[in-house]
DNA sequence: TTCGTTGCAAAGGATTTGCAGCGTA
DNA sequence: TACGCTGCAAATCCTTTGCAACGAA
């Protein structure tokens, strides 16, 4: 997956292809981990020193709606965002220190019956938090 | 479990037993589901019309630190809180409509190896969302 | 009396919105 | 040209904090 794939997908929906939008996707892609909006903005300012936070949030929301980006809430400093590189359903191990993610080996929903009878399941969330091999040292 | 058990626990830590604190625990206990701070405050105002939001948040934070209350973030309108009635480790099915919770039958972490080698696991989060038998109608 | 608790007012941080001008297609 | 995108400023929403008065033990 590269930036152009994602931008192409947006263009097909009638959205435009701007330098700032490209930069947002670029950065998320080269990070490939959960980062806060703040971190993202900081990196964007290297290229676009005056980019406004609203633009970033508007783009993140658009990318979320298009399922290109996913959001998770852990730690401090607001939501964190990461790009969805794989289209296959899976969950993540998330490093509490650097935000790096690693796919988990299983999805619990498929393993056994988790949910008591009588409930309609719409979605589920599974996340394992800890420290990656680099950060645990 | 009843309100006095929880308040007793707080008293042993040197915290005081006020009417408002009791009311907060009472309401959380009679709800036994995830509710937003807003909903909680609304219900508290029946008994204490002028209770302030800061008192509620301060108490929720205290109860969280004492592991009496747990917080989850889903849906709109900020964090949601519920009282921990059972001391046994488990996860929940959460109704997206009414916030009702139901213990899940398994904890995925015990079932198989979920996490690739080399990662230190600190915590995990598992939640299933959907509609309960009442709300799905 | 002591020290935790509360309300008030204000601040804080994250995120969103209306609007007018700009830029892509 | 048309319509999406952007920055600005302001607003909104949720949550926290300092301070002085209050209240439980």
């Amino acid at each position: 997956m590269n930036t152009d794939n994602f931008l192409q997908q947006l263009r097909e929906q009638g959205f435009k292809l701007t330098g700032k939008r490209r930069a947002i996707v670029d950065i998320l892609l080269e990070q490939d981990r959960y980062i806060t909006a703040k971190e993202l903005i900081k990196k964007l300012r290297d290229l676009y020193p005056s980019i406004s936070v609203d633009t970033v949030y508007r783009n993140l929301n658009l990318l979320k709606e298009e399922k290109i980006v996913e959001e998770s809430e852990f730690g401090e400093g607001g939501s964190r965002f990461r790009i969805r590189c794989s289209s296959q359903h899976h969950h993540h191990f998330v490093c509490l220190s650097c935000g790096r993610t690693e796919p988990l080996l299983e999805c619990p929903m498929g393993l056994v019956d988790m949910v008591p009878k009588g409930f309609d399941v719409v979605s589920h969330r599974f996340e394992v938090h800890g420290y990656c091999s680099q950060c645990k040292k």
Side-chain angles (χ1 to χ4, degrees), chain A:
Chain A
M1 270 306 199
N2 62 51
T3 306
D4 290 316
N5 294 143
F6 293 118
L7 294 177
Q8 179 59 28
Q9 178 185 336
L10 289 177
R11 214 169 52 155
E12 282 162 12
Q13 311 283 321
F15 298 108
K16 298 199 172 148
L17 213 145
T18 66
K20 291 171 187 179
R21 178 164 292 158
R22 163 175 286 277
I24 290 171
V25 175
D26 272 345
I27 290 171
L28 289 173
L29 206 47
E30 82 193 15
Q31 292 295 315
D32 191 27
R33 62 184 183 97
Y34 279 109
I35 59 174
T36 58
K38 205 176 194 170
E39 285 177 89
L40 175 57
I41 291 163
K42 189 156 172 260
K43 287 179 194 298
L44 280 165
R45 299 245 214 244
D46 292 342
L47 210 55
Y48 295 101
S50 65
I51 192 171
S52 67
V53 297
D54 12 76
T55 296
V56 177
Y57 280 112
R58 273 189 280 234
N59 273 292
L60 284 173
N61 282 335
L62 173 63
L63 294 168
K64 255 168 58 189
E65 278 159 26
E66 294 295 317
K67 309 275 184 218
I68 294 172
V69 156
E70 61 188 346
E71 186 178 357
S72 179
E73 288 163 1
F74 60 90
E76 314 242 296
S79 287
R80 288 158 197 250
F81 304 87
R82 82 184 285 283
I83 206 154
R84 300 167 85 126
C85 296
S86 162
S87 52
Q88 210 180 314
H89 172 81
H90 64 281
H91 304 280
H92 287 115
F93 173 91
V94 182
C95 179
L96 292 168
S97 171
C98 69
R100 173 183 168 195
T101 64
E102 195 67 25
L104 292 179
L105 305 174
E106 304 276 353
C107 167
M109 296 304 279
L111 295 177
V112 290
D113 280 343
M114 309 292 294
V115 183
K117 300 261 178 234
F119 298 92
D120 277 1
V121 173
V122 170
S123 61
H124 63 284
R125 176 198 274 181
F126 182 44
E127 234 171 56
V128 179
H129 292 173
Y131 295 97
C132 71
S133 43
Q134 261 95 74
C135 293
K136 74 182 177 188
K137 288 169 196 163

